[in-house]
Every structure is written in C-alpha cells, then in structure tokens.
C-alpha cells in the first residue's frame, strides 16, 4: 500500500521503530582487508535460504557476481599540524547493508518485496515478490544492494538471519558468518538498541559513528574510527625507554629462589 510521507509517496510502509536493533559494529582500526568476511558471507549465503549468490565469468576479464559484503581499501592522509608532519595510512572499509531505521530502499519498493522486520529491525528482500526493478538500489545511498543477473532479483545482507536464530547451532555460532570468520575481531554483532549491550558499550567507548547521518536514514550499523598511528620515524630516533623489570623472589619456586640467592652473593 502506498502512502504519502513528507511530500513523498512511500510505496511500502515501514513498521514502528523496533526496540531491538540488530546490527554490526566494524572496527576500522583492526580490519586488515583480508576479505575473510566477504568470503564467509558468500559461502554461507550461497547455500542458505537466501542463496544462491551466483557469479558470471568468475575467471574472465570482466567478472560479475553478487557479493553482499564487500571490502574497499583507501589510502588516506592525515593533514600536517604545527607539531607533526602529514601521516599516510591505509584504511580497509567493509561495506554491506546498514539496516537503516528509515530505509529508503523499503519505501520505494512497488511490490513490498523489500521490507523491514518489526521484531529486530533487519531489512530483507522477499524474492517471490521482487520484480528486479532496481528502485531500491537507486534509493540506497550506501550502494548496499546487489542485482543478480541470473535470478533477476535484488539480494543483500540479511545479517545471516537464518543462522542467528538457528537453535540447532551452538550459541557461539549464532552470529553472522562474517563476524565469526574475522581473524582480527574487527566485526561485532549485537543489539544496538540496548544501551547496556556489549556492542553499544563498545561504540560509546570508541566514539563509533554512523555513515552519512545527514541523509536522515538512521543506519543501525556503526564504525569505530582508526586509532592514531605512532610515527615510526620518530620512534626509531627517540625510542621509548623500556620499563624497568622487577623480580619478586618470594613468588619463585624453591629451586629458583635458592639459585637467585646463590647468584646474588
């Protein structure tokens, strides 16, 4: 059903804002750009209820395929200051659906195929209703929608909803495949609507931020900024003094205590 909202016509209505807001927190400081998250996502979803994620000409000159989680790498430069020269660094930036609280991709959908769940805020696509018009891809400012040329429908990150609620899995495995696969623990999953959750505390401690808040779509996912890098040249010239080592002889085993007394004479 279409409705008019702030001068625009919404083709699909949104549910009330859910108290539970499942999402990802991505640490740009520890992400090394290994693409393990993207590969794990592809592996799990290709054979899951939202798969397959087909590829075309995978080994050709112009490969094409569906990757609902992508990792981009950028060379960035921190501007010079009065006390420090410009610093260069590489930032690896994982990108997938941000499960916005006000997703434009949902409201532009003419068939209701794109929808947001009221129970946990996850944005999904009903492929039985999707006609492949790509309106959602055009509406998404984050480029998080993928069109499958093989299936003729849109595909996107589902937060592995068929995994996180699967009670046949061990509790430790009930998290998105990308989170479980990350070797540097740069990805975290949880309820960002709960201020006392581990992910919410992490965002508060590290100054996590939402992408493009000025757009008004209120993305749920958060990114943690890179920490300041130590100047390697300055560290080599003026290395930090090594901390003094202390030995508590009373905590040593008897043999080592005797040896310590002998050598200390």
């Amino acid at each position: 059903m279409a409705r008019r909202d702030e001068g625009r016509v919404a083709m699909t209505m949104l549910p009330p804002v859910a108290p539970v807001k499942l999402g990802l927190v991505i640490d740009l400081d520890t992400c090394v750009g290994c693409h393990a998250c993207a590969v794990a996502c592809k592996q799990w979803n290709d054979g899951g209820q939202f798969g397959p994620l087909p590829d075309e000409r995978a080994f050709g000159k112009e490969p094409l395929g569906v990757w609902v989680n992508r990792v981009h790498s950028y060379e960035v430069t921190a501007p010079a200051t009065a006390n420090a020269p410009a610093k260069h660094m590489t930032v690896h930036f994982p990108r997938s659906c941000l499960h916005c609280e006000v997703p434009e991709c949902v409201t532009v959908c003419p068939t209701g195929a794109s929808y947001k769940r009221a129970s946990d805020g996850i944005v999904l696509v009903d492929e039985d209703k999707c006609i492949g018009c790509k309106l959602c891809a055009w509406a998404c400012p984050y480029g998080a929608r993928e069109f499958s040329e093989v299936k003729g429908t849109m595909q996107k990150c589902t937060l592995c909803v068929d995994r996180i609620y699967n009670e046949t899995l061990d509790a430790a495995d009930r998290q998105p495949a990308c989170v479980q696969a990350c070797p540097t623990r740069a990805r975290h999953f949880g309820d960002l609507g709960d201020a006392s959750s581990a992910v919410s505390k992490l965002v508060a401690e590290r100054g996590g931020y939402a992408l493009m808040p000025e757009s008004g779509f209120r993305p749920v996912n958060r990114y943690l900024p890179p920490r300041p890098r130590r100047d390697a040249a300055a560290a080599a010239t003026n290395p930090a003094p090594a901390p003094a080592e202390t030995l508590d002889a009373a905590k040593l085993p008897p043999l080592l205590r005797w040896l310590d007394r002998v050598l200390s004479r």
Side-chain angles (χ1 to χ4, degrees):
M1 178 184 295
R3 67 181 177 88
R4 190 168 295 276
D5 182 16
E6 298 181 358
R8 297 174 297 176
V9 174
M11 303 299 292
T12 300
M13 298 179 66
L14 296 173
V17 176
V20 177
K21 300 174 185 177
L22 296 184
L24 299 173
V25 175
I26 299 173
D27 192 344
L28 300 181
D29 185 65
T30 56
C31 177
V32 295
C34 66
H35 294 257
C37 56
V39 174
C41 167
K42 183 92 166 181
Q43 186 276 332
W44 174 264
N45 288 290
D46 191 56
Q49 73 179 76
F50 296 99
L53 304 182
D55 290 317
E56 297 180 67
R57 304 182 299 279
F59 301 100
K61 292 183 178 180
E62 299 180 359
L64 180 67
V66 176
W67 293 81
V68 297
N69 183 29
R70 296 177 181 268
V71 181
H72 306 276
S73 297
Y74 302 96
E75 294 291 335
V76 298
T77 302
T81 64
N83 300 320
K87 293 183 180 180
H88 307 278
M89 63 185 299
T90 301
V91 175
H92 304 289
F93 187 84
R95 175 178 59 85
S96 61
C97 176
L98 303 175
H99 301 277
C100 301
E101 292 185 51
V102 187
E104 188 82 344
C105 60
V106 170
T107 58
V108 301
C109 182
T111 65
S114 188
Y115 66 99
K116 185 174 180 67
R117 291 167 35 130
S119 59
D120 52 21
I122 297 177
V123 177
L124 297 174
V125 175
D126 185 342
E127 293 187 8
D128 290 334
K129 297 179 180 179
C130 181
I131 58 176
C133 66
K134 302 182 183 179
L135 282 175
C136 58
W138 294 336
C140 175
Y142 306 106
R145 294 285 178 128
E146 297 271 326
F147 179 72
S148 171
E149 298 286 350
V150 174
K151 301 176 69 175
T153 59
M154 302 304 300
Q155 294 180 274
K156 62 177 295 298
C157 166
T158 66
L159 284 180
C160 293
V161 69
D162 55 341
R163 180 185 182 116
I164 61 177
Y165 291 112
N166 189 345
E167 295 184 355
T168 65
L169 298 176
D170 292 337
D173 292 331
R174 293 177 210 161
Q175 54 184 335
C178 62
V179 174
Q180 191 172 40
C182 181
T184 62
R185 299 185 61 81
R187 303 176 73 90
H188 308 267
F189 168 70
D191 181 7
L192 286 153
D194 179 4
S196 63
S197 69
V199 287
S200 294
K201 291 179 179 178
L202 183 60
V203 170
E205 292 170 2
R206 291 279 308 280
Y209 57 90
L211 290 185
M212 298 167 56
E214 67 278 5
S215 66
F217 300 133
R218 305 209 301 269
V220 172
N221 288 7
R222 292 292 186 269
Y223 286 85
L224 305 180
R227 295 181 175 92
R229 295 295 190 263
R230 186 180 180 187
D231 189 334
T237 305
N238 301 301
E245 296 184 4
T246 58
L247 177 66
D248 187 354
K251 295 182 179 180
L252 294 174
L255 178 61
L256 293 182
R257 287 203 303 271
W258 172 83
L259 184 61
D260 179 64
R261 289 196 303 270
V262 170
L263 295 176
S264 299
R265 290 176 182 176

